[in-house]
Amino acid sequence: RRRHMVKLAAALPGPREELPGIGLAHKFIGDTEAIMHQLQHFSYECMENDGVLRGWLGNTLFFVVVNPGDLEMVLKTCLEKDDLHRFIRTVIGNGGIFAPVSIWRRRRKILVPAFSPKVVENFVHVFAEQSDKLVKQLSRCSGKGKFQAWPFLSTYTLDSVCETAIGVKINAQENPDSPFLRAMCDILNMICKRIFHLWLQPDWLFKILPMYKKHQECIHTMHNFTDRVIESKREELKREKESKPEVDHEFDLGAYKKQTFLDLLIHLSGGERGYSNVELREEVLTLTIAGTDTSAVAIGFTLQLLGKYPEIQDKVYQELCEVFEDDRMLVKEDLMKLKYLERVVKESLRLFPPVPLIIRKVLEDITLPSGRVLPAGSGVACSIWGVHRDPRYWGPDAERFDPDRFLPERFNLEHACSYMPFSNGPRNCIGYQYALMSIKTALSTILRKYRVIMDTEESPYPYIRVKIDIMMKAVDGYELRLERRERDHHI
Ligand code: HEM
């Protein structure tokens, strides 16, 4: 099988920097900014090689793919996640996102109705309340020069996810030192180090390092917190059932409109005979991890882009003035009206996708629509960063920040996979509508109150230094300045 793999690999172009024996491993020893830079570099090299590039990492064979036709096939047929994801399983076990396909199928089926638009739009009031808190927190920094927006944005998304997923107000925005938040940040950082630093990968070695103790403490904190919430929810449901035995407990989405994901998962999986407490914890933690940093990153990049291009920010503000005639809280009907803001967010997700690449495993040889063959046993890195910036599909000004490319009359992509910040196919992001609502609510609330100021970008091609930290994040922690809008109480 290995000989077969080597033979097929040799038929495809590889990067110039490959060394015998170690392949490209020497290219990934730098910090997370250097690693992201390499990944971008391979994506561009991949574009030059007709959309597919191979590379060895030690003994493991990987392919980078940016051809949208090929990507569609990979995302449809290769559903198994790469082994690198095993490090995150120490926290979320078999939670949907990285679970083996055999477990994932059932869990996805249960999760789909919980994310139906009818359920998700009922969370908008949570996003609006949390955005209001965010704006209050930001007032401490407005008019006081540059500051890092990241701690404000990530606590906004964590508070929103915790309230909608488990119904608990953890108040991370007011208490950024909360043990759960600290544990989540620390564990994600350690997992990222393990993914990219080969020497931290063997379990036996990792267990004797000082980092291991902290790793276990973080897991304990996160599991303990979630377990307590689940136990109290079980008791609440039991009490409810005892007090109203005559009520029909059959599941009805309409009746559960105001419920959290935890309520929905208990009911959709079959109530007392459904998910065990461990399965519930795995699913809840998956949603927390999948939904927190991703949306915060998207808000951060969009704010920085608007700071760099004030004329685009003015247009967003204009639209906000038209939709909000006074200083009221956002309601779900407003979101549909914010069409320009939506184009801005989509364009920001195109140039700065929070998940810049997805890695899947090839279990059987596959022949791609472009004719290339990926051998069984290899890994495929689907480069979202690459496909979003390929001039072949986005034109010669592919790297220009131009929200109007999403105008219905201009947006006519040949391939669905040319734009896929939320991935594509059966394992795509289940939370994309939730994410867009949360992002638009936060941005519209911030931008009604404040003007974002950055050094304006002379070039139409925005440059932001980025690193890979599970998600792709700005190196500077989303540094910007805020200035209060003069007519803040009456827009
Ligand atoms: C801007 C924000 C977000 C981005 C860019 C994003 C991106 C992604 C991507 C690219 C994947 C697919 C990975 C793959 O194909 O292998 C994914 C999966 C997933 N996302 Fe998101 N996501 C975002 C927000 C959210 C939110 C808010 C939630 C939940 C509250 C969420 C829950 C999930 C889950 C559960 C999966 C796993 C789906 C499965 O394997 O069946 N995401 N996300």
Side-chain angles (χ1 to χ4, degrees):
R1 173 166 155 174
R2 184 143 188 97
R3 208 173 313 139
H4 172 72
M5 189 198 246
V6 172
K7 193 172 148 213
L8 284 178
L12 285 166
R16 292 178 282 271
E17 303 91 329
E18 226 170 19
L19 294 177
I22 59 166
L24 294 167
H26 62 298
K27 290 276 146 193
F28 290 99
I29 49 176
D31 61 13
T32 51
E33 184 180 3
I35 291 170
M36 188 62 224
H37 187 76
Q38 277 307 322
L39 296 172
Q40 290 163 349
H41 166 76
F42 291 135
S43 296
Y44 287 114
E45 210 169 319
C46 184
M47 287 179 210
E48 285 164 23
N49 285 288
D50 223 13
V52 179
L53 188 75
R54 68 132 174 83
W56 289 93
L57 256 186
N59 265 336
T60 319
L61 176 63
F62 280 100
F63 290 91
V64 183
V65 178
V66 300
N67 175 315
D70 291 345
L71 281 174
E72 194 172 349
M73 180 159 191
V74 168
L75 292 171
K76 214 181 273 171
T77 51
C78 306
L79 296 180
E80 205 66 68
K81 300 274 170 140
D82 190 79
D83 292 336
L84 285 176
H85 296 109
R86 67 187 182 279
F87 303 116
I88 202 160
R89 287 198 195 134
T90 54
V91 187
I92 60 170
N94 284 322
I97 193 162
F98 300 128
V101 169
S102 52
I103 296 177
W104 162 78
R105 272 192 208 287
R106 170 172 175 250
R107 298 213 179 176
R108 173 92 185 189
K109 237 182 232 158
I110 292 169
L111 215 50
V112 167
F115 274 90
S116 75
K118 268 202 163 31
V119 173
V120 173
E121 67 183 27
N122 280 301
F123 292 141
V124 172
H125 75 98
V126 175
F127 305 147
E129 278 165 29
Q130 293 296 347
S131 295
D132 227 41
K133 281 194 191 162
L134 169 61
V135 161
K136 289 201 180 90
Q137 294 296 325
L138 287 171
S139 69
R140 290 193 274 127
C141 302
S142 104
K144 296 202 179 118
K146 278 187 194 167
F147 70 99
Q148 294 193 343
W150 178 250
F152 296 90
L153 305 178
S154 58
T155 49
Y156 156 73
T157 50
L158 182 64
D159 275 346
S160 306
V161 171
C162 281
E163 199 172 335
T164 53
I166 52 179
V168 176
K169 289 186 195 267
I170 65 163
N171 288 330
Q173 295 204 66
E174 279 126 53
N175 175 23
D177 250 356
S178 92
F180 183 83
L181 177 61
R182 216 167 340 113
M184 192 171 97
C185 291
D186 290 348
I187 196 86
L188 288 180
N189 190 272
M190 283 183 268
I191 290 169
C192 201
K193 282 192 180 135
R194 282 193 88 183
I195 289 178
F196 288 109
H197 294 153
L198 293 183
W199 62 93
L200 294 177
Q201 292 189 355
D203 282 338
W204 65 267
L205 185 59
F206 188 64
K207 282 185 181 165
I208 54 174
L209 296 176
M211 192 197 264
Y212 179 68
K213 187 165 170 262
K214 193 168 165 200
H215 183 269
Q216 294 310 97
E217 280 167 7
C218 291
I219 292 178
H220 184 73
T221 306
M222 293 177 74
H223 285 189
N224 234 0
F225 175 80
T226 327
D227 288 348
R228 270 189 286 131
V229 174
I230 292 169
E231 274 159 32
S232 75
K233 176 59 70 185
R234 291 268 198 216
E235 274 164 30
E236 185 190 313
L237 290 174
K238 206 165 133 205
R239 278 196 305 274
E240 216 170 79
K241 200 172 167 190
E242 281 163 5
S243 67
K244 293 185 241 159
E246 73 285 2
V247 174
D248 182 2
H249 288 279
E250 276 302 291
F251 185 70
D252 164 18
L253 263 191
Y256 285 90
K257 260 190 185 166
K258 294 254 157 10
Q259 308 274 12
T260 62
F261 285 125
L262 177 57
D263 296 279
L264 294 164
L265 292 176
I266 291 176
H267 288 288
L268 290 164
S269 68
E272 281 158 21
R273 292 177 309 277
Y275 278 153
S276 68
N277 283 7
V278 171
E279 287 171 317
L280 281 174
R281 181 225 285 156
E282 292 178 346
E283 288 301 291
V284 164
L285 281 179
T286 298
L287 293 182
T288 315
I289 290 178
T292 302
D293 280 7
T294 41
S295 303
V297 160
I299 301 169
F301 281 127
T302 312
L303 289 175
Q304 287 199 319
L305 287 167
L306 291 174
K308 284 172 183 286
Y309 299 102
E311 67 291 355
I312 295 181
Q313 186 175 174
D314 287 347
K315 280 201 205 167
V316 172
Y317 186 64
Q318 192 58 43
E319 182 179 72
L320 289 170
C321 292
E322 282 159 24
V323 173
F324 298 91
E325 59 298 335
D326 56 23
D327 191 18
R328 64 174 170 80
M329 222 188 234
L330 177 141
V331 290
K332 63 177 184 247
E333 288 75 18
D334 295 323
L335 290 175
M336 283 181 315
K337 299 180 195 154
L338 298 172
K339 298 223 180 307
Y340 188 66
L341 180 65
E342 174 136 342
R343 296 206 286 281
V344 166
V345 171
K346 284 184 171 165
E347 178 69 339
S348 158
L349 288 170
R350 182 181 73 87
L351 286 176
F352 295 95
V355 181
L357 84 164
I358 298 164
I359 309 182
R360 299 281 181 87
K361 219 155 109 173
V362 183
L363 296 180
E364 284 170 26
D365 288 3
I366 49 168
T367 306
L368 299 174
S370 64
R372 273 80 57 101
V373 182
L374 307 186
S378 56
V380 203
C382 305
S383 175
I384 299 180
W385 168 280
V387 76
H388 281 184
R389 287 174 180 249
D390 194 335
R392 222 179 295 193
Y393 310 105
W394 293 95
D397 67 346
E399 311 234 2
R400 174 196 281 266
F401 180 58
D402 176 13
D404 282 341
R405 62 172 93 236
F406 285 94
L407 273 170
E409 58 272 28
R410 275 183 62 191
F411 188 73
N412 62 341
L413 288 177
E414 208 180 308
H415 297 279
C417 286
S418 297
Y419 183 67
M420 49 165 215
F422 298 103
S423 184
N424 195 278
R427 245 189 139 158
N428 72 343
C429 177
I430 205 157
Y432 80 96
Q433 279 156 324
Y434 176 110
L436 287 175
M437 288 185 197
S438 165
I439 293 166
K440 280 171 73 180
T441 307
L443 284 171
S444 60
T445 316
I446 297 171
L447 295 165
R448 279 160 75 193
K449 278 276 191 294
Y450 304 108
R451 185 193 303 278
V452 183
I453 302 168
M454 305 257 305
D455 297 335
T456 43
E457 183 103 36
E458 296 304 324
S459 148
Y461 311 118
Y463 175 70
I464 298 176
R465 279 176 62 194
V466 288
K467 59 179 179 177
I468 183 115
D469 193 2
I470 307 269
M471 268 34 104
M472 184 175 79
K473 293 182 183 156
V475 172
D476 66 4
Y478 301 94
E479 211 171 64
L480 41 86
R481 283 193 293 137
L482 289 182
E483 202 175 72
R484 223 180 161 83
R485 294 259 181 199
E486 275 156 31
R487 288 159 58 210
D488 62 342
H489 52 284
H490 187 88
I491 293 171

